[in-house]
Amino acid sequence: MSPAADPNLAWWEERAALHPTSPMYAPLIDGLRRGEPALFPLERALVGDVAGQRLLHLQCHVGHDTLSWQLLGAEVTGVDFSPEALGQAARLATELGRPARWVRADVTALPRQLEDFDVVVATYGTTGWFGDLRGWAEGIARALRPGGRFVYVDGHPTVFGLDPEADRPVLRDPIGGSVRLETDSPGTYADPAARPAATRVVEHCHGVADLVGALLGAGLVIEHLGEHRGCPWQLHPRAVHDPATGLWDVPPDWPALPALLSIRAVRPGPAEAVDGQDVRPVRVLFLCSRARQRSPTAAGVWNREPGVEARAAGTASSARRRVRAADLAWADLVLVMESRHRQQIEERYPAACAEVPVHVLEIPDTFAFEDPELVAWVREAAAPRIEAARERLRRG
């Protein structure tokens, strides 16, 4: 959708051009140049260790948080609907020499190619900008691998509902029900002196129950739900800034109010009962060259089957996700598309390959992603190998 048709896109396009040099973002970006992640302790604690993990950052804006996760060892993909924001993010990644992938997409309708992530993150300035929580949550669930985790941190609905012109904590806007509001929002939170031309925005007032209900409806399991004092932006004109933490809180003469809401959820892995015992899913690693067509299709097909947890990777240095020794250690079964792929991983990881069965499916590189013929081929070719691996798990 063009900026002329979408007021929110027009609003963010202008601000994305200004934000990298703004008083708020410039110090964070300078910190990245010094090797300092631009993240707060709350989201770091909830996400945990990301070294060697695939991380999808939703509404990544100009990329400083996405590249912070990369600095901590993640293989990162940033998603945003603003071309200007993604351009700024890509330029910053190039300047810093940090590998990252940038995808323009609506977070309520994520491309199906975005899958098999260990972590999905949505932090600060997220769900208030759209109304379709169901599409958002279902995209998150689809993007996560079984066992993968989703972390959400944003302003608490109560804070978003406060009347900015009141001296006391008075609600002006709804704090639930996903109510749609068209408002005038001049300036930018990152630079009080800036005066962008676009001011009209469409926002949505989602409550805690709206958010949690959407995630549960998508099949995710809530592990953590938290409310916190202090947030990274000035939540009210009377808010008080703490230089020690960099956070803003309500004035001390106000009642204590939660400023942030945090959620951590996981995509459960399928399990089957055998003689009254739960057997974990068969872990299958599919490999092709660049992990763009064949192995992602195969992983998508088999992740939809009960009792199977599948990942996709590639052997080439240009692969979207290059295979690692940890992938081979994770797998119960490795299925490669061509003989050369087996040879490549056996040369690179001889010890890891000695510990896991590796089989060749003999599927050529002539298909597009999710081509119906490819789907049928990987289903038929992999089925006996996966059933044999399942039987090995049953026998212990």
Side-chain angles (χ1 to χ4, degrees), residues 7 10 48 59 63 78 85 100 114 116 119 126 128 139 276 295 334 342 357:
Q59 293 163 277
L114 295 176
D116 199 35
V119 188
T126 60
S295 61
V334 179
R342 179 168 62 186

Side-chain angles (χ1 to χ4, degrees), residues 247-317:
L247 301 177
W248 296 80
D249 204 351
V250 297
D253 60 332
W254 282 20
L257 293 174
L260 291 179
L261 175 70
S262 64
I263 303 171
R264 185 175 62 234
V266 297
R267 175 184 169 183
E272 56 179 299
V274 178
D275 297 331
Q277 301 289 324
D278 280 343
V279 177
R280 69 164 175 80
V282 180
R283 297 170 179 166
V284 185
L285 177 65
F286 288 97
L287 294 180
C288 60
S289 297
R290 297 182 299 154
R292 296 178 186 273
Q293 314 294 348
R294 291 173 290 175
S295 61
T297 296
V301 166
W302 283 99
N303 269 327
R304 292 190 284 270
E305 295 295 323
V308 179
E309 183 177 341
R311 294 184 183 179
T315 59
S317 59

Side-chain angles (χ1 to χ4, degrees), residues 1 47 65 96 111-112 120 126 291 318 330 340-342 375-376 381:
M1 185 177 290
V47 171
D65 278 3
L96 298 177
R112 290 188 175 272
V120 176
T126 60
S318 60
W330 165 86
R340 62 190 175 98
H341 300 136
R342 179 168 62 186
V375 168

Side-chain angles (χ1 to χ4, degrees), residues 1 13 33 69 78 103 105 160 191 201 204 216 253 322 363:
M1 185 177 290
E13 282 283 88
R33 294 185 176 109
W69 293 116
V103 177
F160 284 140
D191 184 357
V201 295
H204 292 82
L216 292 175
D253 60 332
R322 195 177 190 190
I363 299 178

Side-chain angles (χ1 to χ4, degrees), residues 44-122:
R44 289 189 64 171
L46 288 171
V47 171
D49 183 18
V50 296
Q53 298 191 348
R54 298 185 71 220
L55 184 145
L56 178 65
H57 182 200
L58 304 181
Q59 293 163 277
C60 65
H61 195 38
V62 295
H64 60 294
D65 278 3
T66 315
L67 295 172
S68 295
W69 293 116
Q70 195 283 329
L71 191 63
L72 294 172
E75 178 185 327
V76 296
T77 298
V79 173
D80 204 277
F81 77 153
S82 164
E84 178 64 33
L86 292 172
Q88 296 284 355
R91 286 189 285 275
L92 179 60
T94 299
E95 177 197 336
L96 298 177
R98 295 284 172 183
R101 179 185 176 205
W102 309 105
V103 177
R104 187 186 180 197
D106 177 350
V107 295
T108 68
L110 289 176
R112 290 188 175 272
Q113 292 91 330
L114 295 176
E115 61 179 6
D116 199 35
F117 287 91
D118 301 289
V119 188
V120 176
V121 177

